[in-house]
Amino acid sequence: MRRVYLDHVATTQPLPEVVEAMMPYLREIYGNPMSLHDAGVEAKRACEEARGRVAALIGAGPEEIIFTSCGTESNNMALKGAAWANTSKGKHIVTTQIEHHSVLNAAKALEGMGFEVTYVPVDKYGLVDPKEVDKAIRKDTVLVSVMHANNEIGTIEPVAEISKLAKAKGVLLHTDAVATAGNIPVNVNELNADFLSIAASQFYGPKGIGALYIRKGVRITPLLHGGFQEKGLRAGTDNVPGIVGLGKAAELAARDLDKRKNQIIPLRDRLIKGLLGIKNVYLNGHPAGRLPGNVNVSVEFVEGESMLLFLNNAGVMVASGSSCTSQALKVSHVLTAMGMEPALAQGSLLFSLGTDNTAEDIDYVLEKMPPIVDNLRRMSPLYKG
């Protein structure tokens, strides 16, 4: 049976070059970067080289990169850290209804601490209107957080325009770039971001390592208190192999960004065209301004989980909603925010393509998908044929 992995939004397979770069730091070079002896100095040097590579990927300075464990930690660090550090100005935050749960739940936690949060709506494509963000900003607003692109529906947001409006009112801006960094061009200066979150697992690096860009001169309160790692902003023993892997993945992404996009986009469009050829299948997200590998569809009269399991039996691995919500069996908050009826939202599937996919993979999916949909519809009491 053919095996087709189309769940790159959940995680990507680390490239061989990334694994090779990490191995010495799992075996021979195992010193703690905080140690002053030669083993520690060697590990520290590797971490700083990786910091420079991550910075180069997003147009930042190395001193502006703080290593974290993942995108979720980076998002929490940005929201909570910026909120706590700026209570003298106010206790109001602006974000959107379609953010990743690590942003939305961090915002809810801050509400429990006495902060106010405004959740800006989106249109039918999941696109944020900069004017709506501008209207939501108040005199006591300390942070605006808008993701660079949505991980579920792939819609790329107008972050640079939103940032311009926020900065005109003296408000900091955070963007969750976990879905974009390493996959499309990301430059912190073009986006005019004060905070930007990334995760290695989204661009062929290891899981369990991420980074937060913090613009030089911007204050933040640490989440973790302990030692003086990461300039005192993120305590804890450095994950040297992970950091090295992140740095190598960033280096390769910067080198191969255009090549990857040019390979994946035609496959994405081929898959979209084929899926929309099935009766009552609809594309979710912006039709043009979307991530290169994102194909999110809703299939009427069928549950997404059922399709996922039948596809898995055929060797095709996809998602229904995001990896953070699929096991909760809840309707996607992103699709409902776009105004989609719950029944149709329940029939969503997310195909996320990567550099390992081929035209033969897409043809195989398009061969297996129609009979799966037909069989499940015949079992549905809602389907009238």
Side-chain angles (χ1 to χ4, degrees):
M1 182 172 62
R2 190 181 186 93
R3 188 175 189 268
V4 180
Y5 184 77
L6 290 172
D7 195 17
H8 293 84
V9 71
T11 192
T12 56
Q13 181 180 22
L15 291 169
E17 299 96 320
V18 171
V19 176
E20 183 180 355
M22 293 172 64
M23 290 310 295
Y25 299 92
L26 289 166
R27 291 174 173 164
E28 300 91 13
I29 310 171
Y30 51 83
N32 188 322
M34 295 295 284
S35 299
L36 298 179
H37 48 62
D38 286 352
V41 170
E42 198 170 0
K44 179 72 171 177
R45 185 184 302 116
C47 289
E48 294 312 310
E49 287 178 358
R51 197 185 308 275
R53 290 170 176 167
V54 173
L57 177 65
I58 60 173
E63 72 282 359
E64 297 176 306
I65 300 299
I66 300 297
F67 293 121
T68 66
S69 64
C70 58
T72 289
E73 184 187 341
S74 295
N75 286 340
N76 272 263
M77 186 176 183
L79 264 73
K80 296 174 183 175
W84 294 338
N86 291 280
T87 52
S88 59
K89 179 188 176 184
K91 301 183 76 174
H92 178 242
I93 294 166
V94 176
T95 189
T96 80
Q97 295 178 356
I98 63 164
E99 299 297 311
H100 188 270
H101 282 291
S102 57
V103 168
L104 293 177
N105 288 338
K108 289 178 182 177
L110 287 168
E111 286 181 298
M113 301 174 194
F115 286 82
E116 290 185 72
V117 182
T118 299
Y119 299 91
V120 175
V122 296
D123 68 11
K124 65 179 181 178
Y125 299 121
L127 198 62
V128 180
D129 185 348
K131 294 178 181 176
E132 292 295 318
V133 177
D134 191 43
K135 285 195 300 183
I137 295 174
R138 311 184 323 205
K139 288 184 179 180
D140 60 341
T141 303
V142 295
L143 181 71
V144 169
S145 180
V146 178
M147 64 198 329
H148 191 201
N150 187 270
N151 53 302
E152 287 190 41
I153 58 170
T155 299
I156 299 171
E157 304 295 348
V159 172
E161 188 177 350
I162 291 168
S163 180
K164 184 177 180 181
L165 297 171
K167 294 302 178 63
K169 295 183 177 180
V171 177
L172 297 170
L173 181 123
H174 163 252
T175 187
D176 173 1
V178 169
T180 56
N183 293 302
I184 64 173
V186 175
N187 186 289
V188 293
N189 296 307
E190 292 176 4
L191 295 175
N192 201 15
D194 297 293
F195 306 97
L196 184 142
S197 305
I198 72 172
S201 62
Q202 295 298 296
F203 52 97
Y204 310 99
K207 289 177 280 294
I209 186 70
L212 177 65
Y213 159 80
I214 306 175
R215 185 174 291 279
K216 188 176 181 180
V218 173
R219 293 188 307 115
I220 192 169
T221 299
L223 289 182
L224 304 178
H225 296 90
F228 299 98
Q229 292 90 350
E230 299 301 297
K231 299 188 294 183
L233 294 178
R234 203 275 184 180
T237 304
D238 296 286
N239 174 10
V240 179
I243 290 170
V244 170
L246 168 59
K248 188 64 177 180
E251 178 188 32
L252 296 173
R255 185 192 73 186
D256 298 335
L257 199 61
D258 288 340
K259 178 183 175 182
R260 293 177 184 180
K261 285 172 53 187
N262 292 338
Q263 175 189 344
I264 294 172
I265 289 175
L267 298 178
R268 177 201 69 186
D269 293 346
R270 182 176 186 151
L271 180 57
I272 290 174
K273 182 178 179 181
L275 291 174
L276 295 187
I278 303 172
K279 186 178 180 181
N280 300 117
V281 174
Y282 312 99
L283 181 68
N284 300 319
H286 199 281
R290 67 189 303 124
L291 291 171
N294 180 285
V295 179
N296 188 307
V297 295
S298 287
V299 182
E300 203 164 11
F301 311 116
V302 182
E303 288 187 347
E305 184 189 8
S306 299
M307 289 185 287
L308 184 154
L309 295 174
F310 274 86
L311 284 168
N312 185 64
N313 287 338
V316 180
M317 288 157 277
V318 300
S320 181
S322 74
S323 58
C324 294
T325 60
S326 57
Q327 293 195 28
L329 302 180
K330 294 181 178 179
V331 175
S332 165
H333 70 285
V334 177
L335 298 180
T336 54
M338 292 160 53
M340 187 176 294
E341 291 293 326
L344 185 58
Q346 284 279 19
S348 69
L349 276 184
L350 170 55
F351 302 81
S352 47
L353 288 67
T355 57
D356 53 322
N357 292 128
T358 64
E360 289 75 20
D361 289 340
I362 303 306
D363 291 343
Y364 182 76
V365 173
L366 295 176
E367 173 193 335
K368 297 296 181 181
M369 188 71 175
I372 288 174
V373 172
D374 286 344
N375 288 336
L376 289 172
R377 279 180 175 164
R378 280 198 291 269
M379 292 185 277
S380 171
L382 300 176
Y383 185 59
K384 304 302 181 184

